[in-house]
Amino acid sequence: MIYCNDLLTLSVLSLYEGELLGKVEKLYFDKKIKKLICIELIGSNGERYLLSSKNIYNIGKNAITVKNNEAVTLKVEDVDLCPSPIGSKAYTICGEYLGIITELSLNEKYLTQKFSFDNNSTVEIDKLASSGRNTTIFYDNQKKIDISKFIPEKSPKSFKTENIIEAQILPVEESNETKPTEPKNLSLQKPDFLVGRICIKDIFNFNNELLIKEHTKITKKNLKEITKYGKLRELMLYSK
């Protein structure tokens, strides 16, 4: 059995490189809190990284081990997942107060088994109805209600941009180092081909905030954030 509170005290070690990658700070679950999806680390440099649960090699008494540095990725935007509900108040769907969640128990596959409360009571995962930013709701034994029927009305569909993207940005200042060759028809290429390539230079937005770090493998999340700030052309130039 794995206890979430124990994970929050652990360091993360890379076996191949023999490096301390950071310490666990937050846990993120799927929308229904049924499985631990990823762990947020804070590195010695103050930057935040994400470790997918599928990339965990082993969880020990004092540390979590991963195979190599590629197991973690730089966090560049908020994670669209549910944070750990530990510390939130719990109620039944009929409004009965159950207590404050103090612990989550997971099995070896990182699937949630049960919730523990500050009054020493526990509830199994199959009783969970919903979990939000500050409150967790459980089904009542006397009431069986399908809360999926309570879904709000859908908002109007947002306009989808075309696959062809033409970035309009300020010129990039070049150093005395050898300048990379700009690909032909740069503005007409679909950006998806960049996923999996390596960024060879730190790229910042116009507020001097780091969007992607040098020597980082480009992910779809990186690409989304960089496109948002109009830095797509610069990423194309400084990736290989």
Side-chain angles (χ1 to χ4, degrees), residues 63-74:
I64 295 173
T65 55
V66 299
K67 291 182 179 180
N68 52 53
N69 288 355
E70 291 188 356
V72 301
T73 57
L74 183 67

Side-chain angles (χ1 to χ4, degrees), residues 48-63:
R48 297 181 181 274
Y49 300 87
L50 295 177
L51 167 63
S52 170
S53 60
K54 66 182 180 181
N55 290 334
I56 295 174
Y57 182 74
N58 190 60
I59 297 177
K61 182 178 179 180
N62 303 111

Side-chain angles (χ1 to χ4, degrees), residues 116-135:
S116 300
F117 303 97
D118 57 349
N119 54 16
N120 296 322
S121 62
T122 61
V123 174
E124 300 295 324
I125 183 62
D126 59 0
K127 295 292 185 181
L128 178 66
S130 65
S131 183
R133 290 177 297 177
N134 52 26
T135 305

